[in-house]
Amino acid sequence: MFKIDQIPALQLGISGLDAGLTEEEQAIQEVTHRFAAEVMRPIAEKLDKMSAEEVIAPGSPLYDYLEQVQASGIIDLETMASMDKEQKARIIPLIFEELGWGDAGLAILSVATSFPAFVAHGTGDPELIEIFGSRIGCWLATQPDRGSEVVDLDGRELATGAKQNKGNLSAHIEGNHVVVSGQSSAWVSGAPIAQTALAYIPCDYGEGLYKADGSLNHIAVLIDLEQDGVSKGKPLDKVGQRPLPQGEVFFDDVRVPKKNIVADDAKLAADFFGVLTFANMEMGFTFTGLARAAYEHSLAYVHERKQGGCPIIEHQSVKLRLFDQWQKVEACRAMARRVANFNYLAPDPHLVASITAKTFVTRSCFEVASEAVQLFGGNGLTREYPVEKLMRDARASMIEDGENNILNLKAASYISEWFKENHID
Ligand SMILES: Cc1cc2nc3c(=O)[nH]c(=O)nc-3n(C[C@H](O)[C@H](O)[C@H](O)COP(=O)(O)OP(=O)(O)OC[C@H]3O[C@@H](n4cnc5c(N)ncnc54)[C@H](O)[C@@H]3O)c2cc1C
C-alpha cells in the first residue's frame, strides 16, 4: 500500500498521468508542444476554413507550415531512424501526441510526405537519394475500385473463391522500365503538392496481372511525379482534416526506371505491411493527441459556461461526462504507447499490434470529440469554437489508413491463425 502523510496536490504533466520522463524526453515534449501551439494550431485553423483549392494555392499557409516544420527538425524521420529501440518506443509517441494535439491533418501530412524520402534513404543508393531523398512525397496505394482491398493486400478477407479487383492503376515491365498507367484514388494524402510517390500497384511481370491462385501480382516503386505523363486531379473537398490536401494522380504510360523498384512481388506484402504497421501505430499517437485537445477544451469550457445557477462543471452529470473523456484519453495513450513498446521491443513489429491501437484510439477519440461538442451545447456546432473541427478530424481517422472494421477483421484473422497454429493439433 502507499503511505501518504497528507493528501498530495494532484500533479499532472502536459500529457496527463505521466511520470518518469527523462529530462531529454520532457525537453522534446515541450519543444514539440510549443511548435504545435504556436505554429500548427493557428495555421490549421486558417486552412480548415479555406477551400481545397485555396489550401494548395501559392501563398497558402500550408507552405509556411511545411517550411517551419522542416526548419524545426521535429519530424525528421532520419533522426528518428537513428534512435535506439528504447528511445523510439518512448520518444516517437511523445512527439506524435503533441503534433496530433496541434493538428492531426498536418501531423499526418508530415509523415505521408516523407515516405518516399525515407524509403530512398533506406536503399542507400546515391542516385535514388538524390532524386527522392528530400522532395515532398506521398503514399499512393488506394484506387477508385481498390480501397479496403489494398489494405487487405494478402486477400484474407476476400469472399470465398473471389478474385482481388483489378482496379484502375497497374504496371507492367518493359525492358529496363516499369510502365505505369491508370489513376490513384482521390484520397492520396499530400498528392496535390507531391513531387514524388511511393506507389503500391498491381503489376504484370510478363505472365499477366493475376497469379494462378487468383491473387494479384504487385510492385512497390518510387515514382517522380514531375515527369511526362503524370497529371493531377482537383484537390478533394472533404469533411475533416481539411489542412491535409488529397487528390487523384493520373499516369499515362509513365516509364519508371527498374532501379526505382522498392519491392517486387515476392517482397511486396511484407514491405506494404511494414509501412502500414508504422502508419497505424502513428495514428494511435496522433489521435491520442487530438482526443486530449478535445478533452482540454471541454475542461476549460465547463468551468466557464454557467447554466442552472453555476458553472456547468458543478452539475454532477457534467463532472461524470468530463471524467469519462479524461479516462478515454488516458486509455488511448496507454494503448498507443504499449503498442509502440511491442513494435520496437518485441522480436518483430506486427500489424495486429498497430491495429489494436489504431482502431481503439480513433474510435475513442471520436467519442471524446463528439462529447466535447455536446458539452459545448450549441456553441459546439459553430465554427467559432474549436471542437466541431476536432470532431470532423476525428471522424476521418476511422476510415483513414484502413477503415476500422476491415482492420479489425484482419487483426482477428491473424489472432485466430496464431491460435490454430499454437493450440490446435
Ligand atoms: C483522411 C484519409 C487519408 C487517406 N490517405 C491515403 C493515402 O495517403 N494513400 C492512399 O493510398 N489512400 C489513402 N486513403 C484511402 C483509405 O485508405 C481508404 O479510404 C480506406 O482504405 C477505405 O477504402 P474505401 O474508401 O474505398 O472504402 P471501401 O473499401 O469501399 O469500404 C466501404 C465499406 O465496406 C466495408 N468492407 C470493404 N471490404 C470489406 C470486407 N472484405 N469485409 C467486410 N467489410 C468490408 C468497409 O469496412 C467499409 O465500411 C485515405 C483516406 C482518408 C479518409
Side-chain angles (χ1 to χ4, degrees), residues 139-142 147-148 151 157 185 187-189 238 241 244 246 396 399-403 405-406 409:
W139 183 33
L140 191 153
T142 55
S148 297
V151 175
E157 308 310 324
S185 79
W187 289 103
V188 178
S189 298
K238 67 181 192 297
Q241 297 183 32
L244 173 67
Q246 287 165 320
I399 297 171
E400 183 172 22
D401 249 10
E403 191 277 331
N405 288 292
I406 190 86
L409 277 172

Side-chain angles (χ1 to χ4, degrees), residues 232-292:
K232 309 254 182 88
K234 272 174 62 161
L236 186 69
D237 188 15
K238 67 181 192 297
V239 171
Q241 297 183 32
R242 294 179 64 82
L244 173 67
Q246 287 165 320
E248 297 144 323
V249 185
F250 298 93
F251 297 88
D252 184 7
D253 283 341
V254 172
R255 296 174 74 78
V256 178
K258 257 185 168 173
K259 73 175 305 188
N260 294 17
I261 297 174
V262 172
D264 60 13
D265 192 64
K267 296 201 183 123
L268 199 287
D271 188 85
F272 179 77
F273 285 121
V275 179
L276 193 61
T277 299
F278 180 82
N280 267 214
M281 176 181 75
E282 185 273 318
M283 294 280 285
F285 314 142
T286 299
F287 288 90
T288 297
L290 191 156
R292 186 181 109 212

Side-chain angles (χ1 to χ4, degrees), residues 87-295:
Q87 283 177 313
K88 283 180 187 162
R90 288 178 63 90
I91 293 175
I92 294 176
L94 289 178
I95 293 175
F96 282 103
E97 178 176 333
E98 292 316 309
L99 298 175
W101 178 91
D103 183 72
L106 290 179
I108 288 160
L109 178 69
S110 292
V111 177
T113 52
S114 314
F115 277 164
F118 186 70
V119 167
H121 283 281
T123 65
D125 180 326
E127 205 183 316
L128 291 181
I129 295 172
E130 171 74 24
I131 301 171
F132 296 98
S134 58
R135 290 155 81 201
I136 298 174
C138 62
W139 183 33
L140 191 153
T142 55
Q143 308 174 11
D145 296 333
R146 280 175 59 74
S148 297
E149 282 193 23
V150 173
V151 175
D152 184 36
L153 201 84
D154 51 352
R156 284 163 184 267
E157 308 310 324
L158 273 179
T160 314
K163 272 180 157 186
Q164 290 180 316
N165 197 336
K166 184 163 153 294
N168 325 73
L169 178 64
S170 63
H172 66 271
I173 308 292
E174 250 181 52
N176 276 333
H177 287 89
V178 181
V179 182
V180 182
S181 307
Q183 73 163 98
S184 75
S185 79
W187 289 103
V188 178
S189 298
I193 58 167
Q195 299 158 310
T196 66
L198 169 63
Y200 290 83
I201 318 173
C203 181
D204 178 352
Y205 288 87
E207 293 182 359
L209 279 179
Y210 286 99
K211 298 184 192 120
D213 66 2
S215 64
L216 284 163
N217 292 303
H218 285 90
I219 198 163
V221 71
L222 287 166
I223 308 180
D224 185 339
L225 297 182
E226 293 185 325
Q227 67 181 297
D228 285 349
V230 178
S231 57
K232 309 254 182 88
K234 272 174 62 161
L236 186 69
D237 188 15
K238 67 181 192 297
V239 171
Q241 297 183 32
R242 294 179 64 82
L244 173 67
Q246 287 165 320
E248 297 144 323
V249 185
F250 298 93
F251 297 88
D252 184 7
D253 283 341
V254 172
R255 296 174 74 78
V256 178
K258 257 185 168 173
K259 73 175 305 188
N260 294 17
I261 297 174
V262 172
D264 60 13
D265 192 64
K267 296 201 183 123
L268 199 287
D271 188 85
F272 179 77
F273 285 121
V275 179
L276 193 61
T277 299
F278 180 82
N280 267 214
M281 176 181 75
E282 185 273 318
M283 294 280 285
F285 314 142
T286 299
F287 288 90
T288 297
L290 191 156
R292 186 181 109 212
Y295 155 75

